[in-house]
Amino acid sequence: MDLEKRPAPGAEPQRPPEHAEGCLAVAVRVPVRIVALVLVVPVRLAWDALAVAGRFVYRGALRPVGRGVAAALTWLFRAVFVWPWVGLWRYGAVPLATGLVWLGRVLFVAPAVWLYRSALAPVGRGIATGVLGAGAGVAWLVRTLLVTPAAWLWRCLAVIPARWFHARALTPLGRALAWLARGLGAGAAAAGRAIGAALVWLCKAVFVWPWVGLWRYGVVPLGGALAWLGRVLLVAPAVWLCRAVLTPVGQGIAWCCARIGAGVARLAGGAWAGVSWLAGGFWAGASWLGRGFWAGVSWVGRGFWAGVSWLGRGLWAAVVALCRWVLVVPAVAVWRRVLVPVGRALAVVAREVGAALGHAWRVAGHVSLAVGRFLARLLRWIFVEPVRWAYRCVLTPVGHVVRDTMWRPAAKAVREVRATTRQALASARASIRQARADVRRTLFGAPARPRRAPVEPSPALVEARPTPVPVARRELDAPEPRNLEKNPGSAVSPPVRG
């Protein structure tokens, strides 16, 4: 058993990394390796022997016994735990559950359904009808006792005063605003008409009169009739539409917009002025109070924080110094002066002990391999070779003699007896079949066989048949062999056909 991986033939052996070794490692290495080798070799030999014996026992005894025991335990477990419960479930629990379900359906479900349909549903409908009637009565009482008085109070306390305020205050104010807006609108309309007339005269002077003069003194002789027709059909209706329809409508829309805009602007200005005055006063008071309160709180907080921070810094400095000189400095000294040297020594000893154990285990593996090979060769010389020699030189010739003198003649005789018996049975069956056919023919007569027309083979079957291969013809056999040297003239071979 070679437990160490061998290197490839052409590969260079790996060298362990060189590291600095002290005198302690050199002094500990050799005795530790000797002691480890002396202690580990017997352990390795015993371990390898136990491993080989365990594998043999496991393969030859424990595995078959375990499989048999597992099969027996499985059958026993099924017979004791599974099959009784399966039988109880199939032949006890399932029929009992089916009967209980039927009994429950007959005793509970059907009466409960009948009770619900015949008693509970009508009672529930009656209760629902009563509850609805009571709800309707309660709603009538609430409407009579609460809603109607509340509506009357709302009308007397809110609606009537609002109507009086609208009729006595808002209506005169709105009429006054409407009269003022109407006057302003009339003035704006008059100014607009004047401006419109001026713009019309200017447009006429700039755009219309030159073309009118051109039209009158240039095109009139040629298009007088067309001008009169266009003036009658287009200009007059357009002027009338503009003066009678568009101008009044535009004036009314402008007047309405002006009055509405003036009223809305006045109301919005008053409301905004009141709201801004109230908001400004409230914000000024709140900001003054907030600034004073924040100044006081910040002053008190700064003083308290200064004191607490000064006290905390002093306490923290004292605690840090105390912990440093009581815990940190002694711990650092113990670590540097005691633990580090001891740890290094223990690490060197542990590393050397581990390396020695590994080296001893590998050497013990080689020793165990050599001992195992020697024992295997010894066992082969003592047991295997004599058994092989006896099998080859004694058992094999004896087996051949037994096979040739006893087994083969016996087998041949058995085969002959079997063939004779089979032929006798076949002839007996044929005789019985023929006798049965003769009896049937004697009792009932021979059956009439219809004549069948000759069936011509199909072309496909004819094509599928194999074509016979022509055989080469040989010469006729002569009484004596033909020899041209002995009988050159008398023995002449017949002509060859084909």
Side-chain angles (χ1 to χ4, degrees):
M1 292 175 292
D2 192 1
L3 301 180
E4 185 178 1
K5 186 177 180 181
R6 298 179 179 178
E12 296 181 358
Q14 297 181 357
R15 296 180 180 178
E18 298 180 358
H19 56 276
E21 297 179 351
C23 59
L24 181 61
V26 177
V28 170
R29 180 176 300 165
V30 177
V32 166
R33 289 196 175 186
I34 294 173
V35 172
L37 182 61
V38 172
L39 295 177
V40 169
V41 168
V43 175
R44 183 60 183 267
L45 293 174
W47 174 260
D48 293 338
L50 290 176
V52 173
R55 281 197 295 271
F56 175 75
V57 171
Y58 173 73
R59 292 176 181 176
L62 294 181
R63 185 186 293 177
V65 172
R67 289 177 180 176
V69 171
L73 290 178
T74 303
W75 183 86
L76 183 62
F77 178 79
R78 289 180 180 178
V80 174
F81 296 101
V82 179
W83 293 340
W85 292 104
V86 170
L88 181 62
W89 174 260
R90 287 183 180 177
Y91 304 106
V94 173
L96 181 61
T98 305
L100 291 177
V101 168
W102 179 82
L103 187 62
R105 187 182 299 110
V106 172
L107 295 179
F108 296 101
V109 177
V113 171
W114 177 83
L115 180 64
Y116 174 77
R117 291 180 179 177
S118 303
L120 296 180
V123 172
R125 293 191 186 97
I127 293 173
T129 305
V131 171
L132 291 177
V138 171
W140 180 81
L141 289 176
V142 170
R143 187 169 58 253
T144 303
L145 298 177
L146 296 177
V147 177
T148 303
W152 181 79
L153 288 175
W154 171 259
R155 183 177 181 185
C156 294
L157 296 179
V159 176
I160 295 176
R163 288 181 179 178
W164 179 84
F165 181 73
H166 181 270
R168 301 298 180 181
L170 294 180
T171 301
L173 181 61
R175 290 177 181 176
L177 293 176
W179 179 79
L180 182 60
R182 191 182 300 114
L184 294 176
R193 283 195 296 272
I195 294 172
L199 291 175
V200 168
W201 183 85
L202 182 59
C203 291
K204 286 181 179 181
V206 175
F207 297 102
V208 178
W209 290 341
W211 294 103
V212 169
L214 179 61
W215 177 267
R216 182 176 298 174
Y217 298 105
V219 187
V220 169
L222 298 176
L226 294 175
W228 179 82
L229 186 59
R231 189 168 54 251
V232 171
L233 296 177
L234 298 176
V235 178
V239 172
W240 177 82
L241 181 63
C242 181
R243 290 180 180 178
V245 179
L246 296 180
T247 301
V249 171
Q251 291 175 359
I253 292 172
W255 180 79
C256 291
C257 291
R259 298 300 184 273
I260 293 171
V264 171
R266 187 168 295 180
L267 289 176
W272 177 254
V275 171
S276 61
W277 180 78
L278 290 175
F282 179 75
W283 177 254
S287 62
W288 181 77
L289 290 176
R291 284 196 299 272
F293 180 74
W294 177 253
V297 170
S298 61
W299 182 78
V300 173
R302 282 196 298 272
F304 181 74
W305 177 253
V308 170
S309 61
W310 180 79
L311 183 61
R313 284 195 297 272
L315 291 175
W316 178 253
V319 169
V320 168
L322 184 62
C323 291
R324 180 181 179 184
W325 291 105
V326 172
L327 298 176
V328 178
V329 173
V332 171
V334 171
W335 173 262
R336 290 181 179 177
R337 306 299 179 185
V338 179
L339 295 180
V340 172
V342 173
R344 289 177 179 174
L346 292 177
V348 171
V349 173
R351 186 178 68 238
E352 293 301 328
V353 169
L357 289 176
H359 182 72
W361 186 261
R362 290 190 293 272
V363 172
H366 291 288
V367 174
S368 175
L369 180 62
V371 172
R373 289 178 178 176
F374 172 74
L375 293 177
R377 186 169 296 177
L378 184 63
L379 290 175
R380 186 168 64 249
W381 289 345
I382 295 174
F383 296 101
V384 178
E385 293 297 335
V387 171
R388 290 177 63 185
W389 177 84
Y391 177 78
R392 289 181 180 179
C393 299
V394 178
L395 297 180
T396 301
V398 172
H400 290 172
V401 170
V402 170
R403 182 188 62 186
D404 296 336
T405 58
M406 298 177 61
W407 181 253
R408 285 183 178 178
K412 185 177 180 180
V414 169
R415 284 196 298 271
E416 291 177 355
V417 170
R418 185 184 302 171
T420 305
T421 306
R422 190 180 296 113
Q423 291 177 0
L425 291 176
S427 61
R429 281 197 297 269
S431 301
I432 293 171
R433 192 180 297 111
Q434 185 66 28
R436 187 168 53 194
D438 294 339
V439 170
R440 188 184 299 112
R441 192 181 302 109
T442 304
L443 294 176
F444 302 103
R449 296 182 180 180
R451 295 182 179 179
R452 296 182 180 180
V455 180
E456 296 181 358
S458 61
L461 184 61
V462 173
E463 292 179 0
R465 289 180 179 177
T467 304
V469 180
V471 182
R473 298 181 180 179
R474 300 177 59 186
E475 297 180 358
L476 297 177
D477 296 335
E480 294 182 359
R482 185 177 52 178
N483 192 351
L484 299 179
E485 295 180 357
K486 294 181 179 180
N487 302 319
S490 61
V492 179
S493 62
V496 179
R497 299 179 183 179

